Amino acid sequence: MFSFKLKENGTNAKTEIVAGITTFLTMVYIVVINPAILHDAGVPFNAVFMATIIATVIGTLWMALCANYPIAIAPGMGLNAYFAYSVVGSHGNISYTTAFSAVFVAGIIFIILSLTPFRKKLIEAIPENLKHGITAGIGLFIAFVGLKQTGIIIGDKENLVKLGDLHNPLTILALIGLAITLILMARKINGALFIGMLVTGIIAVITGRLKFENGFVARPSLPHFMIENPFSAFGDVIQHSLYAVVFSFLLVTIFDTTGTMVGVAEQAGLMKGKTLPRARQALLSDSIATTIGAIFGTSPTSAFIESTSGVAAGGRTGLTTLIVAVLFIVSSFFSPLVSVVSGLSAITAPALIIVGSLMIGSVAHIKWNEFDEAFPAFLIILSMPLTSSIATGIALGFISYPLLKVVRGKWRDVHALVYIFAVLFILQLGFVPH
């Protein structure tokens, strides 16, 4: 039997089980949200539902058994919206299977980087303000998607967007769901997002907006292979020039996962100074989950910040995440329930808005009093929602940052990798169709 070293970490089995249940309840919303978002890109619901669970279980089990950390892995918010609303259908009429090729390639590169010191160099090379700008920009992007899905805002020829019809029954339901979830969040109730969707779903059933004609439980369906030939995935990326997309998936996943892991480990008291023990094993959990997830049909995975709820409940070892993985396996039997709920945006969109609000908090760490640091971050934050592209936001940030540093005579402060990325992004924007 695998030893989680419970005594050495000052915990016990009962505490770890409760922590695992707590973490699961705070992040189980992803089995509803992720299929809802990727289905908008044409991906079959059952494929995404099973792929979400497979990627989550594999990544979380690896974290539990190999890294022994209470950190859960699942498809990340933001990148799933980018996949569905920016990559699929973009230049060259990209299909979702081709987009999964980009995710697969990013996952393979992530695995290689996780096994080499280059990952650390890449993280250190990226300016902190660009990291904060990217996180905030993704938050604004997914909140914008949520507001559009609820009908709170709608398209407008003159002003791009305007206030929607607040008398629309579905918009009213979404606003009620948003209000309920916000109250739960403000009261710091574990699983607030999931409970908010549950209560909104009950209201939808009472008002006749939601009907469960196929029941609640069904035997899990066999997973589909979105990528049957790994070599063809690389060919798809080259054929459609998806280099910026791959880089965006890779870059966001690397520093998002690393930042989350360090943050959760610090809260749990598992850091050794500034070093994260077993960092390689921990990062491999995410990179392997991303790669396998792409094969079955889901967007990149990431370490979930919701793991902090389990840590707050006393979770200190991989037993916590083992419980999370087991509960996600159990959730695979509820596809009829999730299918109906995820099909009603009034239930799922409030979670996007709230997660977006949490992510945009990164703006507090940007050095706004230094123009050469602030403007590239601002450009990222502004361009991501307005262009509906995380890749474009990252590109503009990486181009403007070294440019302003050179003008101010601070060119030595910029890492050589940033200059290389800037040149590559200029070539991408200037010569590759969008």
Side-chain angles (χ1 to χ4, degrees):
M1 182 177 178
F2 183 85
S3 175
F4 292 106
K5 300 180 180 179
L6 300 182
K7 289 185 178 180
E8 292 90 328
N9 287 284
T11 184
N12 56 64
K14 180 181 178 181
T15 300
E16 294 290 300
I17 291 171
V18 171
I21 295 172
T22 302
T23 298
F24 173 76
L25 288 175
T26 59
M27 64 179 290
V28 67
Y29 69 89
I30 197 64
V31 301
V32 179
I33 297 291
N34 203 49
I37 291 175
L38 297 194
H39 186 61
D40 285 348
V43 190
F45 166 81
N46 284 334
V48 186
F49 178 72
M50 288 306 300
T52 299
I53 292 174
I54 290 171
T56 301
V57 170
I58 288 175
T60 303
L61 276 180
W62 185 286
M63 184 70 75
L65 303 178
C66 299
N68 196 25
Y69 281 131
I71 305 171
I73 303 292
M77 294 294 290
L79 288 179
N80 50 8
Y82 171 55
F83 178 100
Y85 305 118
S86 298
V87 180
V88 176
S90 61
H91 60 279
N93 194 27
I94 303 299
S95 66
Y96 62 79
T97 53
T98 301
F100 283 129
S101 294
V103 177
F104 178 81
V105 171
I108 293 295
I109 297 174
F110 192 7
I111 291 175
I112 296 171
L113 292 179
S114 298
L115 295 172
T116 66
F118 186 76
R119 173 196 56 81
K120 182 179 179 182
K121 292 181 179 179
L122 179 61
I123 294 173
E124 293 174 347
I126 303 169
E128 289 297 317
N129 283 309
L130 291 188
K131 294 178 186 177
H132 297 316
I134 291 170
T135 301
I138 293 173
L140 198 59
F141 173 46
I142 63 174
F144 185 67
V145 170
L147 288 169
K148 286 179 64 179
Q149 287 185 346
T150 58
I152 296 174
I153 61 173
I154 58 175
D156 181 62
K157 292 183 178 180
E158 295 182 0
N159 301 308
L160 298 182
V161 293
K162 66 178 182 180
L163 186 66
D165 180 11
L166 300 186
H167 297 94
N168 185 302
L170 291 178
T171 303
I172 293 173
L173 178 62
L175 289 170
I176 292 173
L178 180 60
I180 292 170
T181 311
L182 286 172
I183 292 170
L184 295 171
M185 293 286 291
R187 299 295 299 174
K188 297 183 179 179
I189 295 174
N190 287 327
L193 291 175
F194 175 69
I195 296 172
M197 287 193 292
L198 181 64
V199 174
T200 309
I202 292 172
I203 295 173
V205 172
I206 294 173
T207 57
R209 298 289 169 183
L210 202 62
K211 296 181 180 179
F212 299 96
E213 297 177 352
N214 297 318
F216 299 93
V217 181
R219 187 174 61 183
S221 60
L222 292 175
H224 299 278
F225 288 97
M226 294 294 174
I227 298 175
E228 296 183 355
N229 184 350
F231 295 102
S232 66
F234 286 87
D236 288 340
V237 169
I238 295 172
Q239 179 183 348
H240 296 279
S241 301
L242 296 177
Y243 311 113
V245 173
V246 170
F247 182 73
S248 297
F249 284 145
L250 179 66
L251 187 66
V252 175
T253 303
I254 285 178
F255 73 70
D256 183 41
T257 293
T258 305
T260 299
M261 286 181 182
V262 170
V264 175
E266 283 180 344
Q267 182 185 354
L270 301 174
M271 295 289 290
K272 303 298 182 183
K274 293 185 177 180
T275 303
L276 177 67
R278 305 180 301 281
R280 179 172 295 179
Q281 294 93 320
L283 284 166
L284 277 172
S285 66
D286 188 18
S287 54
I288 290 173
T290 293
T291 306
I292 295 177
I295 292 175
F296 289 107
T298 188
S299 48
T301 60
S302 177
F304 257 51
I305 193 64
E306 284 82 355
S307 302
T308 55
S309 64
V311 170
R316 293 294 181 272
T317 73
L319 181 55
T320 293
T321 36
L322 176 62
I323 298 301
V324 174
V326 170
L327 290 174
F328 268 100
I329 292 174
V330 173
S331 69
S332 67
F333 289 87
F334 292 88
S335 60
L337 171 64
V338 175
S339 175
V340 174
V341 171
S342 63
L344 190 63
S345 60
I347 297 176
T348 58
L352 296 178
I353 299 170
I354 293 173
V355 171
S357 74
L358 299 176
M359 294 180 71
I360 204 171
S362 294
V363 297
H365 305 294
I366 297 172
K367 298 177 182 177
W368 293 109
N369 59 332
E370 298 180 27
F371 185 75
D372 54 337
E373 293 281 344
F375 185 79
F378 166 76
L379 197 57
I380 292 171
I381 296 169
L382 182 68
S383 58
M384 281 188 183
L386 293 184
T387 64
S388 296
S389 174
I390 291 174
T392 300
I394 291 175
L396 295 177
F398 269 83
I399 292 171
S400 59
Y401 186 87
L403 177 63
L404 289 175
K405 288 296 184 181
V406 169
V407 170
R408 294 203 62 186
K410 298 181 179 180
W411 60 273
R412 292 185 182 86
D413 296 343
V414 182
H415 197 283
L417 284 175
V418 177
Y419 286 113
I420 294 172
F421 292 144
V423 172
L424 293 175
F425 276 126
I426 290 173
L427 294 174
Q428 173 76 20
L429 293 177
F431 299 99
V432 177
H434 295 278

